[in-house]
Amino acid sequence: MSQGTTGVGHRASALRRTFRLITAVLTGVLLLALTGVTLVDVVGRYFFSRPLSGASEMTELLVMAVVFTGLPAICLDDGHITVDLFTAKLKGTAETVQVMLARLVVVVMLGLISWQLWEHGARIGAWGETTVYLRFPLAPVARAASVLCALSAAIVLMLAVLRLPKGKSGDI
Amino acid sequence: MDWPIGLVVLLALIFAGVPIAFALSAVGLVGVISIIGLDPALAMFGQIYFDSGRSYTLSVVPLFLLMGNFIVQSGIASELYDAANAWLRHRKGGLAMATIVACAGFASVCGSSLATTATMGRISLPAMRRYGYSDRLAAASVAAGGTLGILIPPSVILVIYGILTQQDIGKLFLAGLLPGLIGVIFYIVAVRLSLWLHPEDLGRPEKLPLRDRLRATRGVSGALVLFVFVLGGIYIGFFTATEAAGMGAGGAILITALRGKLGLRNTLETLFDTAKTTAVMFFILFGALYFLNYVNLSGLTTDLRSWIDAIDAGPTGVILMLIVLFLILGCLLESLSMILLTVPVLFPIVSGLGFDPIWFGIFVVVATELSYITPPIGMNVFVMRIVAPEIPLERVFAGVLPFVFVDILRLLLLIAVPWLVLVIPNSM
Amino acid sequence: SAQTVLRVSNWLPPSHPIVKDIVLPWAAAVEEATDGRVTVQMLDAPLGPPPAHFDLAATGAADVTFGVNGYTPGRFSLNQIAELPFLTPSSEALSVAYWRVYEKMLAEKDEYKGVKVLAVWGHGPGMLFTTGAEVSPLSKLDGLKVRVAGKLTSMLAEQMKMVSVQAPSPKTYEVLSGGVADAIYFPYESVPFFKLDSLLTKALRAEGGLYNVSFFMVMNQAKFDGLSDEDKAAIDGVSGEALVRIAGKAWDAADATGHDILESTVAFHDASEAEMEELVAMSQPLYDAVAADYAAKGVDFDAALEMLKAETAKVLQE
Ligand code: NA
Ligand code: NA
């Protein structure tokens, strides 16, 4: 079963490409902002005696944003690292079952992570946790991470149910 | 769930092809539930994935990665390797050796082994392959060379060790210099060892005339400028080692733009690549941290301590046992988890036996370097997997074996001649 | 009855005074007071980063934790009264007074929901250390880059016309040795603890300290509720003001040790009367900010401050 030979496979390829493009643009903006934060902070500190207030917090939040925004596209490409020493030799039904089981573990774990990030958001939202200097509210950050994990879980579930072939991380 | 069962289940899931990130969190979850109950175990997910996602210390990873990727996009990286190749092509394994030295150079600006490996992997892997080096040797050289990131100062891990054990961080940094240099020499030996084991890993081109060598060398200026900027910035205190990552990334983007290589499509690819690598690595780290909590709650270190006490092997015996212990733990834990879990437990035992605390810090860090390249949880090898997804993981793990071997020799050497660690800090 | 084990998640090195002189003695006291029915187990590694430690106890991942209120901004604001400038003659006096204010006026606002509060305390008087820059007159501080300890020190830095640098405490060595910061707000104890004694050479001291940091030690509520009445009473007996006093004394002792180490290498300058006046004026916005936070939670700030000062004086006279 190779990608693109069936109608479903064809649509999967197109979907994967679209997802990669959207993720590339979103994470690209975040990464450039991440670089910009350090530049503005250091240059401001030395040349204007005005460091960027809360630069370390922005850095933390931007890194987190990159990590979770990148997740759905990675899941769609089965891009998490696996050891395929034994599984590479599987063929036919055995391979289908192995891919299905591995994906189901990912679905369950991502589902739990999503649920608990949401709960965590509710907990810290109840008393309004913010960052130290910028007072940026953190509950929405946890909820956004939760939604992205849920989306990723749904994607992997779809891959498992439709028995789509394993993705190859390809060009944008 | 007792920890030996947990370890077996983890290995089973990993070898069944479950992504490592989720195999770690799944086993961790079941284990933690069995110890503290369902609700707290679940709540720990929210805590770990949220808190560790916002780690300032880890922010160097995407930024150094970005720098490395733009160095590649700008063309500096391939010019650098063209130069290295021009001078070293006729020497057996010359480029792999040059890569080790370059890793050590990068380690002197970067406190993290992951960031060192990710950056150097992106720069040197394609180049080495272009010049006919096998995947196995090329990937293994970078994965091993990258471990030097935490030994050659600055080092995040040495700072954490210094604070955990109340040792002078400046002395620890100085103590890492000579063992770092020995590491470079031993890894160069390991390159030869690899080629002796697998002579097919490399073609042997002709020596180039001097004129061609000089012409190829002109390309290194861009890399040199960036390196001096980042290193100089740290050492004159213009920015911290953490900020250096952001400054270096900014500098690399600037150089790429100045060379007219900042095309939209390539830039988007570079950015996407950085984001993907970051996300994949962080999810493994989250899983590893959850798994650490299981190991911690399960009392593994308490068991280890009582075994060490029970065997009563004398100072050298205990240190040799610790090598075995670090090797085993290093297979399963990532580096920070190793330090956090072992140092508070082992430090009192080891200093009670009369070992120098600075020496033990370097011993622990060299032992921890091993954890980056030993299977099945070897973060540097995973990084190579992301840099070059088409190389099977087991091929890289096979490739690093000679490097693991010389690392163990290095540990034994440091035990036999503690002077190598202590001479520089004690003379300051 | 069955044996109960209380798991403590500890994010500090074993040699830190909080671990060695506060938590471990408390653990021994609990075991003794309950005749061994309740024992305390220190985990080998923390279950999360330092800011997670309130939640770890609240959710039951750990049974007992300690932490810094300022690490989770937004959750606590009433603790800030113990962090204001000029209120700390010693950690013991301030901490006991703060505990009494907490019990009488702050506990009812339920900032520590989901846990049983075992103790709250503050460290010794905080001061300003520099890597060589003069600290007097105060105008010399102009433009200095200073590592701050949280919201209030950040405000104070601004008032003192300094540029604030943010870094977690394990990063302070890197930040100061590299020259990214030229100054830091710290109590005596923390300078040698974070290995900064070779880097810092001058310091500004003000009567009662320039700032403080408040700490808490808490226990999972359900875990406490599950104990027998006898064991609850036993734990209560060795916690609360008794534990706060131990904590304050431990910090004062650690500060004394820190002071001995620094005496020969750091040139301390005690703020003159005129400089004190300047500093008091500079601190007014901090007092106003905390008063506003108190008003938002419906607590009378002036009454609380008066009580804190009165109780501090009482403890000092003991
Ligand atoms: Na380094
Ligand atoms: Na390993």
Side-chain angles (χ1 to χ4, degrees):
Chain A
M1 197 161 63
S2 77
Q3 213 165 317
T5 51
T6 63
V8 176
H10 211 76
R11 258 171 288 156
S13 293
L15 181 66
R16 280 173 163 150
R17 189 162 310 127
T18 313
F19 238 85
R20 281 200 284 264
L21 187 63
I22 294 171
T23 310
V25 172
L26 288 176
T27 54
V29 170
L30 292 169
L31 282 168
L32 292 177
L34 184 62
T35 312
V37 165
T38 310
L39 291 178
V40 172
D41 186 35
V42 171
V43 171
R45 186 169 68 219
Y46 282 95
F47 297 106
F48 307 99
S49 277
R50 295 230 22 189
L52 187 59
S53 176
S56 58
E57 291 175 359
M58 289 183 210
T59 300
E60 288 169 6
L61 289 172
L62 284 167
V63 169
M64 185 170 181
V66 170
V67 169
F68 283 89
T69 310
L71 186 66
I74 290 164
C75 288
L76 193 60
D77 284 339
D78 294 281
H80 290 287
I81 294 176
T82 53
V83 173
D84 39 20
L85 181 60
F86 298 120
T87 55
K89 295 180 186 93
L90 299 176
K91 291 274 167 311
T93 316
E95 185 190 8
T96 315
V97 170
Q98 184 272 327
V99 170
M100 168 83 85
L101 284 179
R103 281 174 175 164
L104 286 180
V105 173
V106 177
V107 172
V108 171
M109 295 318 294
L110 277 175
L112 289 173
I113 292 162
S114 167
W115 171 35
Q116 289 305 319
L117 277 169
W118 191 268
E119 293 282 307
H120 192 70
R123 262 200 310 274
I124 62 181
W127 45 267
E129 180 168 352
T130 64
T131 61
V132 178
Y133 298 97
L134 297 176
R135 303 272 145 171
F136 189 83
L138 286 174
V141 178
R143 294 209 171 98
S146 163
V147 169
L148 287 164
C149 284
L151 174 63
S152 305
I155 285 171
V156 182
L157 183 64
M158 176 197 77
L159 295 178
V161 170
L162 298 179
R163 296 198 206 160
L164 288 174
K166 276 181 110 167
K168 300 186 198 75
S169 38
D171 297 340
I172 300 167
Chain B
M1 185 164 73
D2 288 337
W3 59 263
I5 303 174
L7 298 189
V8 171
V9 177
L10 177 68
L11 291 180
L13 283 183
I14 288 176
F15 284 120
V18 174
I20 290 159
F22 300 102
L24 283 162
S25 57
V27 177
L29 175 67
V30 176
V32 172
I33 290 174
S34 74
I35 301 169
I36 63 173
L38 182 63
D39 287 340
L42 283 173
M44 209 180 261
F45 266 127
Q47 201 84 54
I48 284 178
Y49 282 71
F50 188 70
D51 289 337
S52 315
R54 294 186 298 135
S55 162
Y56 184 66
T57 312
L58 288 174
S59 68
V60 300
V61 172
L63 285 170
F64 271 127
L65 207 61
L66 198 63
M67 171 171 125
N69 282 346
F70 272 105
I71 290 176
V72 173
Q73 187 181 328
S74 67
I76 291 179
S78 58
E79 287 166 18
L80 201 58
Y81 271 82
D82 287 344
N85 180 60
W87 288 90
L88 298 168
R89 54 189 276 164
H90 55 287
R91 302 217 178 271
K92 201 171 171 188
L95 270 192
M97 295 173 187
T99 299
I100 304 271
V101 175
C103 282
F106 194 77
S108 67
V109 297
C110 177
S112 141
S113 287
L114 282 184
T116 305
T117 312
T119 312
M120 290 308 301
R122 195 68 69 179
I123 294 172
S124 41
L125 196 61
M128 276 196 279
R129 294 164 102 187
R130 199 171 64 231
Y131 286 110
Y133 280 71
S134 75
D135 295 342
R136 179 169 45 205
L137 178 58
S141 309
V142 182
T147 65
L148 294 169
I150 56 166
L151 182 59
I152 297 174
S155 160
V156 178
I157 297 283
L158 277 176
V159 169
I160 291 171
Y161 176 86
I163 290 169
L164 281 173
T165 61
Q166 283 302 288
Q167 297 306 312
D168 188 298
I169 293 159
K171 277 192 169 185
L172 282 167
F173 278 9
L174 290 172
L177 285 173
L178 205 46
L181 185 66
I182 296 169
V184 172
I185 296 168
F186 276 32
Y187 285 158
I188 286 175
V189 172
V191 169
R192 277 295 170 89
L193 197 61
S194 310
L195 287 169
W196 177 70
L197 290 170
H198 299 281
E200 73 278 13
D201 276 4
L202 171 68
R204 188 98 177 265
E206 294 285 295
K207 193 168 170 174
L208 272 189
L210 186 64
R211 192 166 45 96
D212 292 351
R213 294 196 204 180
L214 288 174
R215 193 170 51 203
T217 311
R218 285 184 311 202
V220 305
S221 58
L224 210 60
V225 167
L226 195 60
F227 185 77
V228 169
F229 169 67
V230 171
L231 192 69
I234 294 175
Y235 283 94
I236 65 167
F238 195 65
F239 37 72
T240 65
T242 314
E243 289 167 342
M247 299 302 285
I253 294 174
L254 183 68
I255 290 177
T256 313
L258 290 176
R259 294 175 149 229
K261 298 271 180 65
L262 206 61
L264 181 63
R265 179 150 210 100
N266 283 341
T267 304
L268 208 54
E269 292 270 6
T270 297
L271 291 168
F272 182 46
D273 215 88
T274 308
K276 263 195 316 196
T277 310
T278 306
V280 168
M281 272 160 58
F282 270 64
F283 266 82
I284 294 179
L285 284 172
F286 297 155
L289 286 172
Y290 197 105
F291 186 75
L292 166 69
N293 278 357
Y294 161 52
V295 171
N296 184 10
L297 286 164
S298 73
L300 177 138
T301 40
T302 314
D303 290 353
L304 295 176
R305 183 169 34 195
S306 52
W307 292 346
I308 291 174
D309 289 345
I311 295 178
D312 191 22
T316 313
V318 167
I319 286 290
L320 293 176
M321 277 167 62
L322 289 189
I323 294 187
V324 178
L325 173 71
F326 275 108
L327 265 175
I328 296 171
L329 285 180
C331 289
L332 293 156
L333 296 172
E334 56 78 41
S335 61
L336 188 58
S337 308
M338 287 248 304
I339 297 284
L340 288 177
L341 198 59
T342 56
V343 168
V345 181
L346 297 176
F347 184 73
I349 301 178
V350 172
S351 48
L353 289 170
F355 288 97
D356 185 285
I358 300 280
W359 176 86
F360 186 60
I362 300 304
F363 173 85
V364 167
V365 168
V366 175
T368 304
E369 283 185 85
L370 267 163
S371 72
Y372 285 101
I373 49 175
T374 49
I377 312 291
M379 291 300 292
N380 277 8
V381 175
F382 297 164
V383 173
M384 296 320 296
R385 168 64 160 217
I386 308 171
V387 174
E390 64 286 355
I391 310 179
L393 215 48
E394 56 273 17
R395 209 171 144 74
V396 188
F397 276 125
V400 298
L401 282 180
F403 295 88
V404 171
F405 175 71
V406 298
D407 268 350
I408 295 172
L409 287 187
R410 178 155 54 123
L411 279 173
L412 294 174
L413 179 66
L414 297 183
I415 292 173
V417 193
W419 179 86
L420 293 170
V421 176
L422 297 172
V423 59
I424 298 181
N426 286 352
S427 65
M428 294 284 160
Chain C
S1 72
Q3 173 91 35
T4 308
V5 179
L6 300 180
R7 283 195 192 87
V8 184
S9 175
N10 163 34
W11 49 274
L12 281 168
S15 58
H16 194 277
I18 291 185
V19 182
K20 174 166 67 82
D21 303 323
I22 301 176
V23 180
L24 287 179
W26 175 81
V30 167
E31 295 189 21
E32 197 191 311
T34 59
D35 294 322
R37 289 183 303 275
V38 179
T39 56
V40 179
Q41 179 204 355
M42 292 280 273
L43 292 171
D44 292 324
L47 293 173
H53 276 71
F54 182 85
D55 278 339
L56 288 173
T59 59
D63 301 318
V64 176
T65 64
F66 56 86
V68 176
N69 295 90
Y71 286 171
T72 50
R75 168 166 249 152
F76 306 101
S77 58
L78 301 176
N79 66 297
Q80 293 176 105
I81 198 166
E83 302 192 330
L84 285 165
F86 321 127
L87 297 176
T88 317
S90 76
S91 169
E92 185 187 0
L94 170 86
S95 299
V96 172
Y98 169 38
W99 171 258
R100 289 176 186 165
V101 174
Y102 167 77
E103 276 206 300
K104 179 150 182 265
M105 303 182 66
L106 313 181
E108 64 201 49
K109 296 298 168 187
D110 221 11
E111 282 190 332
Y112 296 86
K113 211 170 170 181
V115 298
K116 174 180 173 58
V117 178
L118 300 170
V120 295
W121 72 90
H123 64 42
M127 49 208 92
L128 178 74
F129 291 88
T130 75
T131 54
E134 296 293 339
V135 295
S136 176
L138 296 182
S139 58
K140 292 259 189 205
L141 300 172
D142 211 330
L144 227 52
K145 299 186 292 293
V146 59
R147 185 267 178 182
V148 294
K151 180 185 143 196
L152 290 178
T153 42
S154 173
M155 286 176 75
L156 186 62
E158 196 181 320
Q159 291 296 315
M160 294 168 86
K161 304 234 169 24
M162 292 188 281
V163 178
S164 55
V165 173
Q166 293 143 21
S169 21
K171 285 253 169 205
T172 50
Y173 179 86
E174 185 192 324
V175 163
L176 286 163
S177 66
V180 169
D182 336 283
I184 185 168
Y185 290 105
F186 251 166
Y188 290 117
E189 172 276 338
S190 305
V191 174
F193 190 82
F194 288 101
K195 300 288 148 206
L196 309 178
D197 37 328
S198 59
L199 305 173
L200 300 170
T201 55
K202 295 203 165 61
L204 173 65
R205 276 191 300 216
E207 186 80 42
L210 285 170
Y211 82 103
N212 206 320
V213 167
S214 57
F215 301 84
F216 59 80
M217 183 160 145
V218 298
M219 180 173 171
N220 178 266
Q221 188 69 52
K223 190 80 175 189
F224 184 76
D225 293 342
L227 295 171
S228 70
D229 288 343
E230 194 189 359
D231 289 343
K232 279 183 200 162
I235 289 181
D236 277 335
V238 298
S239 307
E241 191 170 315
L243 178 57
V244 171
R245 224 174 246 284
I246 289 172
K249 282 189 171 140
W251 213 292
D252 287 334
D255 266 351
T257 312
H259 177 258
D260 288 348
I261 294 170
L262 300 176
E263 207 173 18
S264 57
T265 56
V266 176
F268 286 98
H269 169 75
D270 291 298
S272 67
E273 221 164 283
E275 285 167 343
M276 229 15 225
E277 254 172 55
E278 270 185 85
L279 286 169
V280 168
M282 288 169 172
S283 304
Q284 194 51 48
L286 281 67
Y287 276 79
D288 295 344
V290 176
D293 284 342
Y294 265 61
K297 287 214 165 138
V299 186
D300 183 344
F301 176 69
D302 294 331
L305 187 60
E306 199 175 316
M307 179 177 173
L308 186 79
K309 285 179 175 170
E311 294 297 326
T312 305
K314 250 192 247 174
V315 180
L316 279 176
Q317 275 169 10
E318 281 168 11

